Amino acid sequence: MANRSVVPFGPQHPVLPEPIHLDLVMEDETVIEAVPSIGYVHRGLESLVKKKDFNEMVYVTERICGICSFMHGMGYCSAVEKIMNVEVPRRADYLRTIWSEMSRLHSHLLWLGLLADAFGFEALFMQSWRLREKILDMFEISTGGRVIFSVNKIGGVLKDMPKDMLKSFVAILNDMEKELSETTSVFLNEYTVRSRLEGVGIITKEDAIRRGAVGPMMRASGIEVDMRKTGYAAYSDLDFEVITSDKCDSLARCQVRIGELFQSIAIIRQAVDKIPEGEISVPVKGNPDGECFMRLEQPRGEAFYYVRANGTKFLDRMRVRTPTFANIPAMLQTLQGAQFADVPLLILTIDPCISCTER
Amino acid sequence: MAQFMSFTKTVLKNLISKPATTSYPEVPKEYPQRTRGHVEISIEDCILCGLCMRSCPPGAIHVDREAKKWSIARFDCIQCGYCVEKCPKKCLSIVPGYTKPDSSKHTETIKKEEALPK
Amino acid sequence: MEDIGNNVIKIEQVELLPVIMEKKNDDWRLAQICCAFRDGHYEVSYSFAKGYELTNYRLIVGKDETVASISRVYKSAILYENEMRELFGLGVEHIKVDYHDKLYRIDAETPFMEKEGE
């Protein structure tokens, strides 16, 4: 038996901006086992429910993560609205859908850039992030923030998007679609990229279920589950297919996410066509009492919100199970038996968000 | 041929097109109208009710009814806009322009001059 | 077993493992395990998903009681169970991979529990 050694990976690592911390048990260049430890950026946001009332918690949940901040706020608001039996105006539902899809575009483009960076293709990284910048600008125009949007409130949204703004956004997205197909074709076709991704980090369909993988990770293993199909917000009115792949490797995950980029643009177009006129929020009175489980499809996968209220303005418990937390067991499996040089890439293919995971 | 040289087109395009970045700070950044930069108060309309102080998530706002003072710790403010939404008189607004970096945290205090409406 | 509304089914300790095995054999995936502390007891919620379906099981555990680990059936439960123990101090017996309070490398012990005198 060869000598075993333990190599610490992270929390600070040149390849990953995310502070993930793993201890890799190595045998020569092969990983035998990966032991995760989290807590480097643990802030205990969930326990703030005892100090902030349920309205202020909207702003706290948004700050769980810088990428899916809109969806965290939305998930929490939807859960509280469900407990309080508040019917959100249809226009607010559509606005939330449009912002969610913009978040997905922004998150997947960010991920494509980081992936390119991880296998050393700096120019491709910059191309992806150049496109992402346009989405961030659209966010700033419509919400006033580039990362934290603060447009959700219990009972609807705070800001409306006028017709001209929506039209200009669709025009930007139409232009972007062309550039996007050029950039993404490099990911899918270029020989150098494929040689790093193809056949690496395989998770079979059975493993994906057993390890509880979610989101693109699960869909790349041939499981057709997308929480948007449960019809929250305005998704029940919109037409879209769940994108899956049955190749189960890193390239398949890349393909699924690229497919979702174009799908998001199509969904935004549909939503802009169908958005009804009307109010954007309803007044909410009283305090929530009861409990609710809420599931959303975030860019990284299914996010799980649990809110337990007791009739006072402070909640008993608010729990967020973020997609990365669910994907870690699957990631640990791909790492077993992997080459050391592939480790950063394999960690990246789950699109990790450690701030989400540690909350 | 898609397998090789698929990035060449992008490279050539970049070679002849203008840069995607701007030369900040020579060219100042123009913020959209909705940018949440900092909170401003029109103190004439303020009734010093203290609702903004009680609803501020990070507790950055302080209202002193006795001394007729409204103060905000700029570096604690998270620009969420909850105070703007809560204000009954709509005298708070959130406008573009970020707080300038500083070497120490300071609090900005605005004094209300006239008497409180009876 | 008792349906207590909101898609939650209340179960007893002895029913836990049979329920988990049933779900496992039917190819359900473990969506999450959540722990909450209220009125002097723990509430542990196990959520299972299959396709778009979701079922939740609720276990009430006394403050000094322990709960059996399901990590030998669902490997992904390892993280949730370690998390429960480290944040809430709920005793979980025989976790397959026991991190010994090292999953969250933080100073505070059971930070999500209200300490006495606070």
Side-chain angles (χ1 to χ4, degrees), chain A residues 70-123:
Chain A
F70 180 80
M71 294 193 160
H72 277 307
M74 174 177 163
Y76 169 75
C77 286
S78 316
V80 177
E81 281 154 9
K82 226 171 166 184
I83 294 176
M84 298 175 84
N85 278 324
V86 175
E87 184 83 23
V88 177
R90 208 61 192 142
R91 190 175 174 87
D93 272 343
Y94 269 86
L95 289 170
R96 281 180 179 180
T97 307
I98 292 170
W99 275 316
S100 302
E101 288 311 313
M102 275 160 66
S103 299
R104 196 176 314 277
L105 277 167
H106 140 60
S107 171
H108 283 351
L109 280 169
L110 174 122
W111 177 81
L112 283 175
L114 291 179
L115 182 73
D117 191 41
F119 53 64
F121 204 150
E122 291 280 329

Short mmCIF file of all heavy atoms in Angstrom, two decimals, chain A residues 70-123:
data_model
loop_
_atom_site.label_atom_id
_atom_site.label_comp_id
_atom_site.label_asym_id
_atom_site.label_seq_id
_atom_site.Cartn_x
_atom_site.Cartn_y
_atom_site.Cartn_z
N PHE A 70 -31.94 37.26 -4.80
CA PHE A 70 -33.34 37.52 -5.09
C PHE A 70 -34.20 36.31 -4.70
O PHE A 70 -35.25 36.44 -4.08
CB PHE A 70 -33.56 37.85 -6.57
CG PHE A 70 -34.99 38.10 -6.87
CD1 PHE A 70 -35.55 39.33 -6.57
CD2 PHE A 70 -35.82 37.11 -7.37
CE1 PHE A 70 -36.89 39.57 -6.79
CE2 PHE A 70 -37.15 37.34 -7.60
CZ PHE A 70 -37.69 38.58 -7.31
N MET A 71 -33.71 35.13 -5.05
CA MET A 71 -34.53 33.94 -4.82
C MET A 71 -34.63 33.57 -3.35
O MET A 71 -35.61 32.98 -2.92
CB MET A 71 -33.96 32.78 -5.60
CG MET A 71 -34.10 33.05 -7.06
SD MET A 71 -33.79 31.58 -7.89
CE MET A 71 -34.51 31.81 -9.42
N HIS A 72 -33.59 33.90 -2.58
CA HIS A 72 -33.70 33.66 -1.14
C HIS A 72 -34.81 34.53 -0.55
O HIS A 72 -35.63 34.06 0.22
CB HIS A 72 -32.37 33.94 -0.44
CG HIS A 72 -31.41 32.81 -0.52
ND1 HIS A 72 -31.74 31.54 -0.12
CD2 HIS A 72 -30.12 32.74 -0.93
CE1 HIS A 72 -30.70 30.76 -0.30
NE2 HIS A 72 -29.71 31.44 -0.80
N GLY A 73 -34.81 35.80 -0.94
CA GLY A 73 -35.86 36.69 -0.46
C GLY A 73 -37.23 36.21 -0.89
O GLY A 73 -38.18 36.18 -0.10
N MET A 74 -37.31 35.78 -2.14
CA MET A 74 -38.58 35.34 -2.69
C MET A 74 -39.07 34.06 -2.00
O MET A 74 -40.25 33.94 -1.67
CB MET A 74 -38.39 35.09 -4.18
CG MET A 74 -39.55 34.49 -4.89
SD MET A 74 -39.12 34.37 -6.62
CE MET A 74 -40.34 33.22 -7.16
N GLY A 75 -38.16 33.14 -1.76
CA GLY A 75 -38.54 31.88 -1.11
C GLY A 75 -39.08 32.12 0.28
O GLY A 75 -40.11 31.57 0.67
N TYR A 76 -38.39 32.99 1.00
CA TYR A 76 -38.83 33.29 2.36
C TYR A 76 -40.18 33.99 2.34
O TYR A 76 -41.09 33.64 3.10
CB TYR A 76 -37.76 34.15 3.06
CG TYR A 76 -38.22 34.73 4.37
CD1 TYR A 76 -38.33 33.92 5.49
CD2 TYR A 76 -38.58 36.06 4.48
CE1 TYR A 76 -38.78 34.44 6.68
CE2 TYR A 76 -39.02 36.59 5.66
CZ TYR A 76 -39.13 35.77 6.76
OH TYR A 76 -39.58 36.29 7.94
N CYS A 77 -40.32 34.99 1.46
CA CYS A 77 -41.60 35.73 1.37
C CYS A 77 -42.74 34.79 0.99
O CYS A 77 -43.81 34.84 1.60
CB CYS A 77 -41.50 36.84 0.34
SG CYS A 77 -40.54 38.23 0.88
N SER A 78 -42.50 33.91 0.01
CA SER A 78 -43.57 32.99 -0.41
C SER A 78 -43.99 32.10 0.74
O SER A 78 -45.18 31.81 0.90
CB SER A 78 -43.12 32.11 -1.57
OG SER A 78 -42.43 32.83 -2.52
N ALA A 79 -43.02 31.65 1.54
CA ALA A 79 -43.35 30.78 2.65
C ALA A 79 -44.22 31.51 3.67
O ALA A 79 -45.24 30.99 4.12
CB ALA A 79 -42.07 30.25 3.32
N VAL A 80 -43.84 32.76 4.00
CA VAL A 80 -44.63 33.51 4.98
C VAL A 80 -46.01 33.85 4.40
O VAL A 80 -47.02 33.76 5.10
CB VAL A 80 -43.88 34.79 5.42
CG1 VAL A 80 -44.73 35.62 6.37
CG2 VAL A 80 -42.57 34.44 6.09
N GLU A 81 -46.04 34.19 3.10
CA GLU A 81 -47.33 34.49 2.47
C GLU A 81 -48.25 33.27 2.52
O GLU A 81 -49.46 33.40 2.71
CB GLU A 81 -47.11 34.90 1.00
CG GLU A 81 -46.66 36.34 0.85
CD GLU A 81 -45.86 36.58 -0.41
OE1 GLU A 81 -45.79 35.67 -1.26
OE2 GLU A 81 -45.29 37.67 -0.54
N LYS A 82 -47.68 32.10 2.35
CA LYS A 82 -48.48 30.88 2.38
C LYS A 82 -49.06 30.66 3.78
O LYS A 82 -50.22 30.29 3.93
CB LYS A 82 -47.61 29.68 2.00
CG LYS A 82 -48.27 28.75 1.00
CD LYS A 82 -47.23 27.76 0.54
CE LYS A 82 -47.81 26.59 -0.20
NZ LYS A 82 -46.73 25.64 -0.52
N ILE A 83 -48.26 30.93 4.80
CA ILE A 83 -48.74 30.77 6.17
C ILE A 83 -49.87 31.76 6.44
O ILE A 83 -50.88 31.43 7.05
CB ILE A 83 -47.60 31.00 7.19
CG1 ILE A 83 -46.54 29.92 7.05
CG2 ILE A 83 -48.14 31.05 8.60
CD1 ILE A 83 -45.35 30.13 7.94
N MET A 84 -49.70 32.99 5.96
CA MET A 84 -50.69 34.04 6.26
C MET A 84 -51.84 34.07 5.27
O MET A 84 -52.71 34.95 5.35
CB MET A 84 -49.99 35.41 6.28
CG MET A 84 -48.91 35.52 7.33
SD MET A 84 -48.03 37.06 7.25
CE MET A 84 -49.11 38.12 8.17
N ASN A 85 -51.85 33.14 4.31
CA ASN A 85 -52.90 33.09 3.28
C ASN A 85 -53.02 34.39 2.50
O ASN A 85 -54.11 34.87 2.24
CB ASN A 85 -54.25 32.76 3.91
CG ASN A 85 -54.39 31.27 4.13
OD1 ASN A 85 -53.92 30.49 3.31
ND2 ASN A 85 -54.99 30.90 5.24
N VAL A 86 -51.88 34.95 2.14
CA VAL A 86 -51.89 36.19 1.37
C VAL A 86 -51.82 35.83 -0.11
O VAL A 86 -50.98 35.04 -0.53
CB VAL A 86 -50.68 37.08 1.74
CG1 VAL A 86 -50.61 38.30 0.85
CG2 VAL A 86 -50.75 37.48 3.19
N GLU A 87 -52.72 36.39 -0.87
CA GLU A 87 -52.71 36.18 -2.32
C GLU A 87 -51.92 37.32 -2.96
O GLU A 87 -52.33 38.48 -2.90
CB GLU A 87 -54.14 36.14 -2.84
CG GLU A 87 -54.29 35.83 -4.31
CD GLU A 87 -54.25 34.34 -4.62
OE1 GLU A 87 -54.53 33.53 -3.71
OE2 GLU A 87 -53.93 34.01 -5.77
N VAL A 88 -50.78 36.99 -3.55
CA VAL A 88 -49.93 38.01 -4.16
C VAL A 88 -50.54 38.41 -5.51
O VAL A 88 -51.01 37.54 -6.24
CB VAL A 88 -48.51 37.46 -4.35
CG1 VAL A 88 -47.62 38.45 -5.05
CG2 VAL A 88 -47.91 37.07 -3.02
N PRO A 89 -50.56 39.71 -5.85
CA PRO A 89 -51.09 40.12 -7.16
C PRO A 89 -50.34 39.42 -8.29
O PRO A 89 -49.14 39.13 -8.16
CB PRO A 89 -50.85 41.62 -7.19
CG PRO A 89 -50.63 42.04 -5.81
CD PRO A 89 -50.12 40.87 -5.05
N ARG A 90 -51.06 39.16 -9.36
CA ARG A 90 -50.47 38.40 -10.48
C ARG A 90 -49.27 39.12 -11.08
O ARG A 90 -48.30 38.50 -11.48
CB ARG A 90 -51.55 38.17 -11.52
CG ARG A 90 -51.37 36.92 -12.35
CD ARG A 90 -51.38 35.66 -11.52
NE ARG A 90 -50.92 34.53 -12.33
CZ ARG A 90 -50.16 33.54 -11.90
NH1 ARG A 90 -49.75 33.52 -10.66
NH2 ARG A 90 -49.80 32.57 -12.70
N ARG A 91 -49.37 40.45 -11.15
CA ARG A 91 -48.24 41.20 -11.72
C ARG A 91 -46.97 41.00 -10.90
O ARG A 91 -45.88 40.88 -11.44
CB ARG A 91 -48.58 42.69 -11.82
CG ARG A 91 -47.55 43.46 -12.61
CD ARG A 91 -47.91 44.91 -12.84
NE ARG A 91 -46.80 45.62 -13.48
CZ ARG A 91 -46.59 45.68 -14.78
NH1 ARG A 91 -47.41 45.08 -15.60
NH2 ARG A 91 -45.55 46.33 -15.28
N ALA A 92 -47.12 40.97 -9.57
CA ALA A 92 -45.96 40.75 -8.70
C ALA A 92 -45.36 39.38 -8.97
O ALA A 92 -44.14 39.21 -9.00
CB ALA A 92 -46.37 40.88 -7.24
N ASP A 93 -46.23 38.37 -9.20
CA ASP A 93 -45.74 37.03 -9.51
C ASP A 93 -44.90 37.04 -10.77
O ASP A 93 -43.84 36.42 -10.84
CB ASP A 93 -46.92 36.08 -9.72
CG ASP A 93 -47.39 35.46 -8.42
OD1 ASP A 93 -46.60 35.50 -7.45
OD2 ASP A 93 -48.50 34.93 -8.37
N TYR A 94 -45.39 37.77 -11.79
CA TYR A 94 -44.64 37.84 -13.05
C TYR A 94 -43.32 38.57 -12.86
O TYR A 94 -42.30 38.15 -13.39
CB TYR A 94 -45.48 38.54 -14.12
CG TYR A 94 -46.32 37.59 -14.92
CD1 TYR A 94 -47.57 37.19 -14.47
CD2 TYR A 94 -45.85 37.06 -16.11
CE1 TYR A 94 -48.33 36.30 -15.19
CE2 TYR A 94 -46.61 36.16 -16.84
CZ TYR A 94 -47.85 35.79 -16.38
OH TYR A 94 -48.59 34.90 -17.09
N LEU A 95 -43.35 39.67 -12.10
CA LEU A 95 -42.11 40.41 -11.87
C LEU A 95 -41.10 39.53 -11.15
O LEU A 95 -39.92 39.49 -11.50
CB LEU A 95 -42.39 41.68 -11.06
CG LEU A 95 -43.13 42.79 -11.81
CD1 LEU A 95 -43.57 43.87 -10.85
CD2 LEU A 95 -42.25 43.39 -12.90
N ARG A 96 -41.59 38.77 -10.17
CA ARG A 96 -40.69 37.87 -9.45
C ARG A 96 -40.11 36.83 -10.40
O ARG A 96 -38.93 36.48 -10.30
CB ARG A 96 -41.45 37.15 -8.33
CG ARG A 96 -41.64 38.01 -7.10
CD ARG A 96 -42.39 37.24 -6.03
NE ARG A 96 -42.54 38.05 -4.83
CZ ARG A 96 -43.16 37.61 -3.74
NH1 ARG A 96 -43.70 36.41 -3.72
NH2 ARG A 96 -43.27 38.38 -2.68
N THR A 97 -40.94 36.33 -11.32
CA THR A 97 -40.45 35.34 -12.28
C THR A 97 -39.36 35.92 -13.15
O THR A 97 -38.32 35.29 -13.38
CB THR A 97 -41.63 34.86 -13.16
OG1 THR A 97 -42.67 34.44 -12.30
CG2 THR A 97 -41.21 33.74 -14.07
N ILE A 98 -39.58 37.15 -13.63
CA ILE A 98 -38.58 37.77 -14.52
C ILE A 98 -37.27 37.96 -13.77
O ILE A 98 -36.19 37.61 -14.27
CB ILE A 98 -39.11 39.12 -15.07
CG1 ILE A 98 -40.29 38.85 -16.00
CG2 ILE A 98 -38.02 39.87 -15.81
CD1 ILE A 98 -41.05 40.09 -16.41
N TRP A 99 -37.35 38.47 -12.55
CA TRP A 99 -36.12 38.66 -11.78
C TRP A 99 -35.45 37.33 -11.47
O TRP A 99 -34.22 37.24 -11.47
CB TRP A 99 -36.42 39.45 -10.50
CG TRP A 99 -36.41 40.93 -10.69
CD1 TRP A 99 -35.50 41.66 -11.40
CD2 TRP A 99 -37.36 41.88 -10.17
NE1 TRP A 99 -35.84 43.00 -11.35
CE2 TRP A 99 -36.96 43.17 -10.61
CE3 TRP A 99 -38.49 41.78 -9.37
CZ2 TRP A 99 -37.65 44.33 -10.27
CZ3 TRP A 99 -39.18 42.94 -9.04
CH2 TRP A 99 -38.76 44.20 -9.49
N SER A 100 -36.25 36.29 -11.20
CA SER A 100 -35.66 34.98 -10.92
C SER A 100 -34.88 34.48 -12.12
O SER A 100 -33.78 33.95 -11.99
CB SER A 100 -36.73 33.93 -10.63
OG SER A 100 -37.50 34.31 -9.57
N GLU A 101 -35.47 34.64 -13.31
CA GLU A 101 -34.79 34.14 -14.50
C GLU A 101 -33.54 34.95 -14.80
O GLU A 101 -32.54 34.42 -15.27
CB GLU A 101 -35.73 34.13 -15.70
CG GLU A 101 -36.80 33.06 -15.63
CD GLU A 101 -36.25 31.68 -15.30
OE1 GLU A 101 -35.24 31.26 -15.90
OE2 GLU A 101 -36.80 31.02 -14.41
N MET A 102 -33.60 36.27 -14.50
CA MET A 102 -32.39 37.08 -14.67
C MET A 102 -31.31 36.59 -13.71
O MET A 102 -30.13 36.53 -14.06
CB MET A 102 -32.71 38.56 -14.43
CG MET A 102 -33.24 39.25 -15.67
SD MET A 102 -34.13 40.77 -15.31
CE MET A 102 -32.86 41.82 -14.68
N SER A 103 -31.73 36.20 -12.49
CA SER A 103 -30.75 35.67 -11.53
C SER A 103 -30.13 34.40 -12.07
O SER A 103 -28.94 34.14 -11.88
CB SER A 103 -31.42 35.32 -10.20
OG SER A 103 -31.99 36.44 -9.62
N ARG A 104 -30.96 33.59 -12.72
CA ARG A 104 -30.44 32.32 -13.25
C ARG A 104 -29.40 32.60 -14.33
O ARG A 104 -28.33 31.99 -14.35
CB ARG A 104 -31.59 31.48 -13.80
CG ARG A 104 -31.24 30.02 -14.01
CD ARG A 104 -32.45 29.23 -14.48
NE ARG A 104 -33.62 29.53 -13.70
CZ ARG A 104 -33.92 28.97 -12.52
NH1 ARG A 104 -33.11 28.08 -12.01
NH2 ARG A 104 -35.01 29.31 -11.87
N LEU A 105 -29.71 33.55 -15.22
CA LEU A 105 -28.76 33.91 -16.28
C LEU A 105 -27.44 34.36 -15.66
O LEU A 105 -26.36 33.93 -16.06
CB LEU A 105 -29.32 35.07 -17.11
CG LEU A 105 -30.30 34.73 -18.22
CD1 LEU A 105 -30.97 36.00 -18.71
CD2 LEU A 105 -29.57 34.08 -19.36
N HIS A 106 -27.57 35.21 -14.66
CA HIS A 106 -26.40 35.82 -14.03
C HIS A 106 -25.59 34.74 -13.30
O HIS A 106 -24.37 34.67 -13.43
CB HIS A 106 -26.92 36.96 -13.16
CG HIS A 106 -26.32 37.19 -11.83
ND1 HIS A 106 -25.01 37.46 -11.68
CD2 HIS A 106 -26.86 37.23 -10.60
CE1 HIS A 106 -24.77 37.66 -10.39
NE2 HIS A 106 -25.87 37.51 -9.73
N SER A 107 -26.27 33.81 -12.65
CA SER A 107 -25.56 32.77 -11.92
C SER A 107 -24.88 31.79 -12.86
O SER A 107 -23.73 31.41 -12.64
CB SER A 107 -26.55 32.03 -11.02
OG SER A 107 -25.94 30.90 -10.47
N HIS A 108 -25.57 31.37 -13.91
CA HIS A 108 -24.98 30.39 -14.82
C HIS A 108 -23.81 30.99 -15.59
O HIS A 108 -22.82 30.31 -15.86
CB HIS A 108 -26.03 29.84 -15.78
CG HIS A 108 -26.93 28.82 -15.15
ND1 HIS A 108 -26.71 28.30 -13.91
CD2 HIS A 108 -28.06 28.21 -15.61
CE1 HIS A 108 -27.66 27.43 -13.62
NE2 HIS A 108 -28.50 27.36 -14.63
N LEU A 109 -23.93 32.29 -15.96
CA LEU A 109 -22.80 32.92 -16.66
C LEU A 109 -21.60 33.04 -15.74
O LEU A 109 -20.46 32.83 -16.15
CB LEU A 109 -23.21 34.31 -17.16
CG LEU A 109 -24.02 34.31 -18.45
CD1 LEU A 109 -24.60 35.67 -18.72
CD2 LEU A 109 -23.15 33.88 -19.62
N LEU A 110 -21.87 33.35 -14.48
CA LEU A 110 -20.79 33.40 -13.50
C LEU A 110 -20.11 32.05 -13.40
O LEU A 110 -18.89 31.93 -13.42
CB LEU A 110 -21.38 33.80 -12.14
CG LEU A 110 -20.43 33.78 -10.96
CD1 LEU A 110 -20.40 35.15 -10.32
CD2 LEU A 110 -20.85 32.77 -9.92
N TRP A 111 -20.95 30.99 -13.37
CA TRP A 111 -20.39 29.65 -13.23
C TRP A 111 -19.57 29.27 -14.45
O TRP A 111 -18.49 28.70 -14.32
CB TRP A 111 -21.53 28.64 -13.03
CG TRP A 111 -21.03 27.25 -12.95
CD1 TRP A 111 -20.47 26.66 -11.86
CD2 TRP A 111 -20.98 26.29 -14.00
NE1 TRP A 111 -20.10 25.38 -12.18
CE2 TRP A 111 -20.40 25.14 -13.48
CE3 TRP A 111 -21.39 26.30 -15.33
CZ2 TRP A 111 -20.21 23.99 -14.24
CZ3 TRP A 111 -21.20 25.17 -16.09
CH2 TRP A 111 -20.61 24.03 -15.55
N LEU A 112 -20.07 29.60 -15.66
CA LEU A 112 -19.31 29.27 -16.88
C LEU A 112 -17.94 29.95 -16.83
O LEU A 112 -16.93 29.34 -17.19
CB LEU A 112 -20.07 29.74 -18.12
CG LEU A 112 -21.25 28.86 -18.55
CD1 LEU A 112 -21.97 29.52 -19.71
CD2 LEU A 112 -20.79 27.49 -18.95
N GLY A 113 -17.94 31.21 -16.39
CA GLY A 113 -16.68 31.94 -16.28
C GLY A 113 -15.73 31.26 -15.32
O GLY A 113 -14.56 31.03 -15.63
N LEU A 114 -16.25 30.87 -14.15
CA LEU A 114 -15.38 30.24 -13.15
C LEU A 114 -14.87 28.90 -13.64
O LEU A 114 -13.73 28.52 -13.37
CB LEU A 114 -16.15 30.05 -11.84
CG LEU A 114 -16.50 31.31 -11.07
CD1 LEU A 114 -17.26 30.96 -9.81
CD2 LEU A 114 -15.25 32.09 -10.71
N LEU A 115 -15.71 28.18 -14.38
CA LEU A 115 -15.29 26.89 -14.92
C LEU A 115 -14.14 27.09 -15.90
O LEU A 115 -13.12 26.40 -15.83
CB LEU A 115 -16.47 26.21 -15.62
CG LEU A 115 -16.20 24.83 -16.20
CD1 LEU A 115 -16.09 23.82 -15.09
CD2 LEU A 115 -17.28 24.42 -17.17
N ALA A 116 -14.29 28.10 -16.78
CA ALA A 116 -13.23 28.39 -17.75
C ALA A 116 -11.95 28.76 -17.01
O ALA A 116 -10.86 28.33 -17.38
CB ALA A 116 -13.66 29.52 -18.66
N ASP A 117 -12.10 29.52 -15.95
CA ASP A 117 -10.95 29.92 -15.15
C ASP A 117 -10.29 28.70 -14.51
O ASP A 117 -9.07 28.61 -14.44
CB ASP A 117 -11.43 30.90 -14.08
CG ASP A 117 -10.29 31.57 -13.37
OD1 ASP A 117 -9.33 31.94 -14.07
OD2 ASP A 117 -10.35 31.72 -12.15
N ALA A 118 -11.11 27.72 -14.08
CA ALA A 118 -10.56 26.56 -13.39
C ALA A 118 -9.73 25.69 -14.31
O ALA A 118 -8.76 25.09 -13.89
CB ALA A 118 -11.68 25.73 -12.77
N PHE A 119 -10.12 25.59 -15.59
CA PHE A 119 -9.22 24.82 -16.47
C PHE A 119 -8.27 25.70 -17.24
O PHE A 119 -7.66 25.27 -18.21
CB PHE A 119 -9.97 23.81 -17.36
CG PHE A 119 -11.10 24.35 -18.19
CD1 PHE A 119 -10.89 25.27 -19.19
CD2 PHE A 119 -12.38 23.88 -17.97
CE1 PHE A 119 -11.93 25.73 -19.96
CE2 PHE A 119 -13.43 24.34 -18.74
CZ PHE A 119 -13.22 25.26 -19.73
N GLY A 120 -8.15 26.96 -16.81
CA GLY A 120 -7.07 27.80 -17.32
C GLY A 120 -7.35 28.51 -18.62
O GLY A 120 -6.44 28.86 -19.35
N PHE A 121 -8.61 28.74 -18.95
CA PHE A 121 -8.97 29.43 -20.18
C PHE A 121 -9.42 30.85 -19.81
O PHE A 121 -10.61 31.15 -19.75
CB PHE A 121 -10.10 28.66 -20.87
CG PHE A 121 -10.20 28.88 -22.35
CD1 PHE A 121 -10.69 27.89 -23.18
CD2 PHE A 121 -9.80 30.08 -22.92
CE1 PHE A 121 -10.79 28.07 -24.54
CE2 PHE A 121 -9.90 30.27 -24.29
CZ PHE A 121 -10.40 29.26 -25.09
N GLU A 122 -8.44 31.71 -19.52
CA GLU A 122 -8.74 33.04 -18.98
C GLU A 122 -9.60 33.87 -19.92
O GLU A 122 -10.49 34.61 -19.48
CB GLU A 122 -7.45 33.79 -18.68
CG GLU A 122 -6.65 33.24 -17.53
CD GLU A 122 -7.20 33.70 -16.19
OE1 GLU A 122 -7.74 34.82 -16.14
OE2 GLU A 122 -7.09 32.95 -15.22
N ALA A 123 -9.34 33.78 -21.22
CA ALA A 123 -10.06 34.63 -22.17
C ALA A 123 -11.55 34.28 -22.19
O ALA A 123 -12.41 35.15 -22.28
CB ALA A 123 -9.46 34.49 -23.56
#
